[in-house]
Amino acid sequence: MVVDMTTASFFLLALLHILTGIDGQHHHNNANMPAPSFGSTMENITVINGRDASFTCVVLNIGPHRVAWIKADDKGILAMHDRVLTNNARLSVMHSDLHTWTLHIRDVHRSDRGVYMCQINSDPMLSQTASLEVVVPPDILNEEGGGEVLIPEGGMARLSCKAKGFPQPRVTWRREDGQDIVIRSGALQKQKVPIFEGEVLTFHKITRSEMGAYLCIASNNVPPSVSRRIVVNVHFYPIIQVHNQLVGGPLGSNITLDCMVEASPKPINYWARESGEIIIPNDKYRMEELDVNTYTTRLRLHLKLSSNADEGGYKCCSKNSIGDSEGTITVYATKRVEEEKSLGRWSDHDEEGGAEEPDSVDDSDNTSLEVTTTHFTLGRVTPPAGPSSRRANNNNIQSPTQNKMSIIRSSGSIAQTAVRPQSYYLVAIISFFSLIVTLL
Ligand SMILES: *[C@@H]1O[C@H](CO)[C@@H](O)[C@H](O)[C@H]1NC(C)=O
Ligand SMILES: *[C@@H]1O[C@H](CO)[C@@H](O)[C@H](O)[C@H]1NC(C)=O
Ligand SMILES: *[C@@H]1O[C@H](CO)[C@@H](O)[C@H](O)[C@H]1NC(C)=O
């Protein structure tokens, strides 16, 4: 029953007069009785959708009067005295002790929000109001469906997380692994933020490093906050990096070949000989795959150099649904460690896997050693790309260049070095000599 407020007031006053008219005693004493008043201010209420809410109205000296509850917005009379006058089953009224009137709303709906009035049908009429606010916890609308996105590298992706609730929830994004989110506004402008705010997170020209799980979190300070997890998969064909392209060791030793593979989706990796023969793990070969991150894997092949047949090219191969790739490592063997020691000299090698070229110098000849040294040193005046990694790998057989240099210096004078009748050494030595002369 919804009645206009003015009508309601008239109705209440009329009712009052009828009631007081019937109850003659009260009517007579009415003038001597203290006027009704409110004992406290009615409190505003904020309640979470679905919970219960109660307004309490404390009236002193109610006398013969009655308390009515009115929804001020639509002026509907909700209840009078101890009777509920609407057909809303979630409403109830209570009159406890002498002064307290309570309007109770069970399972509050958003439509219940508004201003509520506690009215006394005295003359003049007395009323006080308080408001009911109904807040709604955030909810993420499930319009996008699946929690996984596949994008080719360099492509564009939009992650969307629409949320509803009251107040309107704030949507923020962060990466599950705690890394920053890269926001590209222009062609070159980019910004790294730990948290991005907005319903839509856009990736322009996505890169592999942006691959991972993202969480969108909706919150409006009404518990509980909700989140959704979206996995971003960036697809690209495998890329192989080989740091040491030349690996050697003495016969009988174990060596390790190393490849770094970046690929997504996850590739199938294997090792092969240069001939294409796929290597299978056994007593001679052992493979390892170590995940560096979600798209990077370190491949290792441990191999025993048992004979010269083990020399040559080895390929690490990687294949996924986008494409395939391979890296090549050249393996060379030197003489067994025991032989090396007994020979008492260093092995020497050419730049490009010259391992197969044994040193032609006569071992017993002390002077040839120095020639070899000179040759080596001159040959290394301009180091080739990546000799350091190569040396690092062969440190069990090769002395670093510095050592050879110091041997030359400690020998006092290069003039003592016997030079082989090879014009290129002569030219080199002579030019070195003339340089020293010039300096002197
Ligand atoms: C209740 O909220 C209204 C605004 O909706 C405000 O004017 C009033 O002062 C509040 N009353 C109390 C008791 O906080
Ligand atoms: C080489 O590795 C194998 C196992 O892969 C091991 O049994 C052997 O002892 C190792 N040899 C050397 C010289 O380290
Ligand atoms: C080589 O040099 C060592 C000392 O460095 C010396 O003892 C040895 O006799 C030399 N050998 C020859 C063949 O000259």
Side-chain angles (χ1 to χ4, degrees):
M1 181 165 85
V2 175
V3 189
D4 181 80
M5 173 96 106
T6 348
T7 324
S9 308
F10 279 127
F11 172 69
L12 288 172
L13 284 171
L15 198 69
L16 160 77
H17 288 299
I18 294 161
L19 288 169
T20 48
I22 291 165
D23 196 341
Q25 286 164 285
H26 284 284
H27 186 68
H28 287 294
N29 301 337
N30 210 14
N32 309 328
M33 287 185 72
S37 63
F38 291 111
S40 66
T41 315
M42 214 157 71
E43 298 287 335
N44 289 340
I45 302 174
T46 297
V47 70
I48 296 176
N49 195 45
R51 304 266 176 89
D52 297 354
S54 305
F55 286 107
T56 301
C57 191
V58 178
V59 183
L60 307 175
N61 309 312
I62 182 78
H65 308 296
R66 292 289 184 259
V67 169
W69 289 98
I70 294 164
K71 184 95 186 279
D73 325 54
D74 57 14
K75 290 156 188 124
I77 301 175
L78 304 173
M80 188 159 39
H81 196 53
D82 53 8
R83 302 258 313 269
V84 173
L85 299 180
T86 74
N87 55 6
N88 185 344
R90 295 179 293 109
L91 288 189
S92 58
V93 279
M94 259 171 52
H95 178 198
S96 51
D97 65 53
L98 278 176
H99 311 293
T100 310
W101 278 261
T102 306
L103 172 70
H104 190 78
I105 310 169
R106 190 170 47 79
D107 178 23
V108 164
H109 294 177
R110 266 297 279 167
S111 56
D112 295 328
R113 58 202 292 266
V115 177
Y116 287 76
M117 179 186 281
C118 165
Q119 193 183 77
I120 304 167
N121 60 348
S122 53
D123 190 9
M125 175 194 81
L126 283 181
S127 70
Q128 63 177 350
T129 58
S131 61
L132 172 69
E133 182 56 277
V134 180
V135 292
V136 183
D139 188 20
I140 295 173
L141 305 176
N142 206 17
E143 54 183 30
E144 303 285 311
E148 188 172 6
V149 190
L150 306 180
I151 320 142
E153 191 165 43
M156 202 198 92
R158 278 175 90 249
L159 306 188
S160 164
C161 224
K162 295 228 180 334
K164 66 178 171 60
F166 188 87
Q168 180 61 39
R170 200 182 114 184
V171 177
T172 54
W173 296 84
R174 60 182 182 81
R175 286 185 67 157
E176 196 176 58
D177 61 10
Q179 290 186 42
D180 285 350
I181 294 176
V182 181
I183 308 295
R184 288 183 187 77
S185 35
L188 293 168
Q189 279 185 314
K190 66 174 189 178
Q191 200 191 343
K192 285 185 166 189
V193 290
I195 290 172
F196 174 78
E197 185 170 346
E199 287 191 331
V200 178
L201 176 62
T202 308
F203 298 97
H204 302 282
K205 296 202 171 173
I206 196 160
T207 65
R208 61 194 65 183
S209 60
E210 285 160 276
M211 180 154 48
Y214 289 76
L215 300 172
C216 78
I217 301 148
S219 64
N220 61 358
N221 296 325
V222 182
S225 288
V226 286
S227 69
R228 188 198 283 175
R229 186 172 182 269
I230 302 177
V231 175
V232 174
N233 272 318
V234 179
H235 281 185
F236 54 93
Y237 63 85
I239 289 183
I240 293 186
Q241 276 184 26
V242 177
H243 293 294
N244 296 334
Q245 290 172 333
L246 188 60
V247 179
L251 286 174
S253 70
N254 286 340
I255 58 170
T256 300
L257 314 186
D258 219 304
C259 283
M260 290 290 257
V261 176
E262 291 191 359
S264 171
K266 261 220 171 314
I268 290 168
N269 305 312
Y270 60 93
W271 289 86
R273 291 297 304 260
E274 207 163 28
S275 61
E277 182 196 339
I278 289 173
I279 294 171
I280 50 162
N282 54 27
D283 291 350
K284 191 175 175 60
Y285 301 111
R286 196 160 58 82
M287 287 92 156
E288 261 187 292
E289 288 198 15
L290 307 160
D291 285 339
V292 178
N293 59 34
T294 48
Y295 57 87
T296 311
T297 310
R298 184 172 184 178
L299 306 182
R300 292 173 117 178
L301 173 67
H302 302 284
L303 103 107
K304 189 172 159 75
L305 276 178
S306 25
S307 73
N308 291 89
D310 295 326
E311 293 183 309
Y314 287 76
K315 297 188 291 184
C316 53
C317 311
S318 183
K319 190 174 169 61
N320 71 5
S321 55
I322 316 291
D324 54 71
S325 178
E326 60 183 45
T328 303
I329 299 174
T330 303
V331 167
Y332 64 93
T334 57
K335 292 204 173 69
R336 289 182 187 276
V337 184
E338 312 81 60
E339 295 170 36
E340 293 277 329
K341 277 178 189 154
S342 63
L343 295 174
R345 60 165 190 91
W346 301 288
S347 316
D348 196 14
H349 314 284
D350 272 348
E351 305 323 324
E352 312 304 329
E356 57 277 345
E357 181 205 295
D359 217 298
S360 57
V361 178
D362 187 352
D363 293 325
S364 61
D365 188 353
N366 277 3
T367 53
S368 338
L369 170 66
E370 290 189 60
V371 169
T372 310
T373 307
T374 313
H375 170 199
F376 185 89
T377 310
L378 287 175
R380 295 292 161 117
V381 168
T382 47
S388 53
S389 54
R390 182 187 152 184
R391 269 203 302 279
N393 233 350
N394 306 338
N395 52 11
N396 54 337
I397 43 162
Q398 286 188 340
S399 296
T401 311
Q402 282 88 338
N403 286 355
K404 299 179 185 200
M405 295 290 268
S406 66
I407 284 168
I408 294 172
R409 279 192 216 101
S410 67
S411 71
S413 160
I414 287 175
Q416 290 168 358
T417 308
V419 175
R420 285 179 159 192
Q422 282 169 354
S423 55
Y424 124 70
Y425 292 138
L426 274 175
V427 171
I429 299 292
I430 290 165
S431 19
F432 189 53
F433 233 38
S434 26
L435 179 68
I436 288 173
V437 171
T438 319
L439 288 172
L440 290 171

